[in-house]
Amino acid sequence: MTRQKNPDETTLLIKLPPELKASFQGLCKFRDVSVSAELRRFMADEVSKTATGMTTADKPKKPSHARLDTVRTVKAVSSRKSFKD
């Protein structure tokens, strides 16, 4: 099944060390959130923090995909988990 393209979305291609990618993927899996969703949340949070103190005309528009419910319940575990598990 092919996903239909949304004209309001774009793709960001970044290069990073394989260890960082694997660690972040493990962290996202542990938090039960997709890598893409976590990166979108991080970017929206950074834009919001930076926009504090700007005038209304200067503030960037909040993306439609930015969620207000960014807090997720973390799975309870009895021992520490490695992010690479």
Side-chain angles (χ1 to χ4, degrees):
M1 183 174 175
T2 305
R3 182 177 166 206
Q4 205 172 34
K5 290 185 178 182
N6 181 345
D8 294 331
E9 291 182 341
T10 186
T11 300
L12 175 67
L13 177 66
I14 62 169
K15 293 182 180 183
L16 50 112
E19 312 83 44
L20 178 60
K21 179 183 176 186
S23 294
F24 190 70
Q25 286 174 320
L27 177 63
C28 291
K29 184 176 181 179
F30 178 77
R31 291 181 175 171
D32 196 27
V33 64
S34 74
V35 170
S36 294
E38 193 66 4
L39 288 171
R40 283 191 296 268
R41 183 206 55 80
F42 170 77
M43 292 172 74
D45 286 352
E46 289 300 307
V47 169
S48 293
K49 284 193 288 188
T50 303
T52 302
M54 292 180 168
T55 64
T56 305
D58 295 334
K59 285 187 180 183
K61 292 182 181 177
K62 190 168 188 175
S64 60
H65 60 273
R67 301 175 311 175
L68 296 177
D69 62 327
T70 57
V71 178
R72 289 185 167 260
T73 305
V74 178
K75 294 178 185 176
V77 291
S78 58
S79 62
R80 291 190 175 253
K81 244 180 139 172
S82 168
F83 293 133
K84 292 188 178 184
D85 284 348

